[in-house]
């Protein structure tokens, strides 16, 4: 029996993990709390921890988990910016779910975009009140517009395919452009200057943090629509708010927010929101916020559970070799140079 402390559990997590884990002799200790220095202790007696995007897995937490005998950190997400992989090296192995449904995220980005541009959220509220007026609901055609995609990995490429279906011109920026992909790559400056819509699909790193800030917004077209389904830290939210107030940014569709960790995923209605910046953004008529929901489809939840269970099983039964280990030693965290033939350490 492999015991796993499962942090930040939500009701929708349990069925798929129990379905895949129970037949494989896994026992999940479902914990509602997030992982941090204070709650690491709850993993005592477990061989692994399973964590999500807003759990804190810094050096201090890793030290504690290591002292309790935890051998594996299994992320049930693709992004791993919340894990200090360097601090884990030599102590605890780290695995993630590289892809579970890139369609879920790309389709959510499109859903936000269509909702915003065609004012569906406003129309929905109006007709519920039998207000059938169309004033203020004018949108614009996607057809013929230029969309700038930052990050052309799994999600970005699906987003690009969907945009092409609308008849949009697609330009893209990626630090590692894909060869022979048929994608028109441009510099970031060109992307900012030419795009009617900008959608973010790159990871959050030291390099990409606040890549959309005051300077970038100044280079964009007036009325640009910015979509972020990637990570909140990619956007300097204060600069975005200023851009909206200055009528430079036409609309923002945000599934993620830099300070989301203590806010998103919970029902906070009936409470005073202590984040003035988020409150102000939400109060804007041209901002749509969803609370990190882009991944939330049946298919994605099943794939996340299946891959995470397989990751855990590989680690404990396959001499620690797992395709999805985040290999710090290689210096190429996701694309292990040892081709997964041996452990990271
Ligand atoms: P991916 O690894 O397949 O693609 C990421 C792309 O970004 C790669 O092509 C990479 O070369 C590029 N990139 C790396 N550094 C860059 C930089 N400095 N500038 C520009 N591009 C850069 O990842 P993916 O599966 O497509 O996921 C993209 C992101 O989406 C993840 O990092 C994650 O943060 C986010 N995500 C969000 C949700 C959600 O529910 N909102 C769910 C899954 C993933």
């Amino acid at each position: 029996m492999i015991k796993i402390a499962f942090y930040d559990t939500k009701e929708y997590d349990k069925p798929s993990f129990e379905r895949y884990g129970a037949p494989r002799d896994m026992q999940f200790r479902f914990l509602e709390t997030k992982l941090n220095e204070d709650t690491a202790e709850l993993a005592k007696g477990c061989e692994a921890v399973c964590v999500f995007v807003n759990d804190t897995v810094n050096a201090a937490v890793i030290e504690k988990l290591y002292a309790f005998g935890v051998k594996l950190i299994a992320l049930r997400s693709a992004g791993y910016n919340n894990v200090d992989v360097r601090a884990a090296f030599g102590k605890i192995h780290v695995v993630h779910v590289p892809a579970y449904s890139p369609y879920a995220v790309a389709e959510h980005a499109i859903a936000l975009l269509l909702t915003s541009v065609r004012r569906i959220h406003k129309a929905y509220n109006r007709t519920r009140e039998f207000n059938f007026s169309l004033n203020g609901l004018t949108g614009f055609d996607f057809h013929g517009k230029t969309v700038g995609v930052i990050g052309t990995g799994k999600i970005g490429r699906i987003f690009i395919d969907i945009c092409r279906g609308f008849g949009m011109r697609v330009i893209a920026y990626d630090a590692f452009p894909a060869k022979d992909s048929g994608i028109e790559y441009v510099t970031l400056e060109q992307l900012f200057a030419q795009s009617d819509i900008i959608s973010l699909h790159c990871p959050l790193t030291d390099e990409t943090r606040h890549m959309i800030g005051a300077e970038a917004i100044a280079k964009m077209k007036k009325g640009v629509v910015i979509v972020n389904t990637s990570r909140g830290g990619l956007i300097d939210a204060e600069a975005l708010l200023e851009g909206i107030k200055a009528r430079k940014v036409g609309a923002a569709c945000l599934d993620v927010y830099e300070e989301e960790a203590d806010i998103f995923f919970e029902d906070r209605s009936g409470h005073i929101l202590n984040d003035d910046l988020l409150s102000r953004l939400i109060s804007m008529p041209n901002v749509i916020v969803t609370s990190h929901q882009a991944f939330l489809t049946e298919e994605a939840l099943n794939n996340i559970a299946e891959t995470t269970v397989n990751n855990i099983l590989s680690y404990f039964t396959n001499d620690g070799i797992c395709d999805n280990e985040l290999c710090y030693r290689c210096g190429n965290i996701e694309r292990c140079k040892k081709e997964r033939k041996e452990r990271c350490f």
Side-chain angles (χ1 to χ4, degrees):
M1 181 72 74
I2 307 168
K3 290 196 186 120
I4 303 127
F6 194 104
Y7 284 91
D8 201 9
T9 308
K10 297 286 179 286
E11 275 314 308
Y12 49 75
D13 289 319
K14 288 184 191 171
S16 49
F17 271 89
E18 272 166 350
R19 189 165 54 252
Y20 287 105
R24 263 93 166 252
D25 246 11
M26 286 183 198
Q27 194 182 73
F28 292 104
R29 185 182 291 170
F30 289 112
L31 303 163
E32 283 185 19
T33 182
K34 292 189 183 68
L35 174 60
N36 56 41
E37 271 187 74
D38 297 328
T39 60
E41 206 160 322
L42 298 170
K44 265 186 186 165
C46 291
E47 288 91 18
V49 295
C50 183
V51 299
F52 198 48
V53 293
N54 289 323
D55 288 300
T56 304
V57 199
N58 59 18
V61 170
I62 287 165
E63 257 335 301
K64 283 197 166 182
L65 295 175
Y66 183 56
F68 300 146
V70 170
K71 295 184 173 55
L72 184 71
I73 295 165
L75 278 148
R76 52 183 193 278
S77 62
Y80 48 87
N81 51 284
N82 55 329
V83 180
D84 188 339
V85 184
R86 179 185 186 153
F89 179 65
K91 296 190 173 99
I92 306 183
H93 294 262
V94 184
V95 291
H96 74 147
V97 182
Y100 40 87
S101 173
Y103 304 100
V105 183
E107 289 169 14
H108 191 77
I110 294 288
L112 286 174
L113 195 51
L114 275 170
T115 302
S116 167
V117 169
R118 302 308 303 270
R119 315 278 195 266
I120 303 298
H121 54 310
K122 301 213 164 284
Y124 173 77
N125 283 330
R126 280 192 196 181
T127 55
R128 283 174 63 84
E129 300 281 333
F130 307 118
N131 172 355
F132 300 107
S133 155
L134 297 183
N135 288 334
L137 299 187
T138 309
F140 62 76
D141 289 6
F142 279 4
H143 187 269
K145 295 294 183 301
T146 298
V147 59
V149 178
I150 301 181
T152 55
K154 293 175 282 297
I155 296 169
R157 287 201 208 190
I158 292 163
F159 182 84
I160 287 173
D161 287 345
I162 300 173
C163 288
R164 285 183 174 148
F166 280 111
M168 299 169 102
R169 173 186 173 227
V170 179
I171 54 175
Y173 170 77
D174 195 300
F176 310 96
K179 290 191 187 90
D180 305 325
S181 58
I183 296 171
E184 182 186 346
Y185 285 103
V186 295
T187 64
L188 257 189
E189 271 65 26
Q190 289 167 329
L191 186 142
F192 291 151
Q194 295 176 28
S195 302
D196 301 295
I197 295 163
I198 294 175
S199 194
L200 305 177
H201 300 288
C202 61
L204 177 63
T205 61
D206 289 343
E207 197 189 330
T208 60
R209 187 176 299 280
H210 288 190
M211 73 189 307
I212 306 297
E215 219 177 293
I217 290 171
K219 293 176 187 156
M220 293 177 192
K221 274 187 169 180
K222 185 170 162 54
V224 63
V225 180
I226 300 174
V227 186
N228 189 7
T229 54
S230 207
R231 283 291 181 269
L234 296 175
I235 296 184
D236 175 347
E238 287 198 31
L240 177 66
L241 180 61
E242 287 312 313
I244 289 165
K245 281 160 66 182
R247 277 69 172 169
K248 179 76 191 271
V249 175
C253 306
L254 309 174
D255 185 52
V256 285
Y257 172 64
E258 191 165 14
E259 302 302 327
E260 70 179 48
D262 293 327
I263 301 171
F264 281 15
F265 300 108
E266 303 295 336
D267 180 0
R268 306 207 180 272
S269 57
H271 296 264
I272 307 289
L273 192 64
N274 280 330
D275 187 316
D276 290 353
L277 186 54
L278 181 61
S279 303
R280 189 80 171 100
L281 281 169
I282 289 175
S283 77
M284 291 289 171
N286 50 356
V287 174
I288 295 185
V289 174
T290 50
S291 59
H292 210 134
Q293 183 190 331
F295 74 98
L296 197 62
T297 66
E298 286 291 339
E299 291 81 357
L301 289 176
N302 281 329
N303 292 339
I304 288 170
E306 188 177 20
T307 306
T308 305
V309 163
N310 286 339
N311 284 346
I312 296 169
L313 209 61
S314 307
Y315 177 79
F316 286 103
T317 62
N318 190 22
D319 201 23
I321 297 162
C322 174
D323 277 349
N324 299 323
E325 178 164 6
L326 294 170
C327 187
Y328 175 76
R329 188 169 65 168
C330 290
N332 192 354
I333 285 185
E334 284 182 54
R335 297 176 194 97
C336 173
K337 288 182 193 134
K338 296 190 277 18
E339 293 174 338
R340 313 291 180 196
K341 291 200 177 84
E342 48 180 299
R343 292 179 181 205
C344 173
F345 55 86

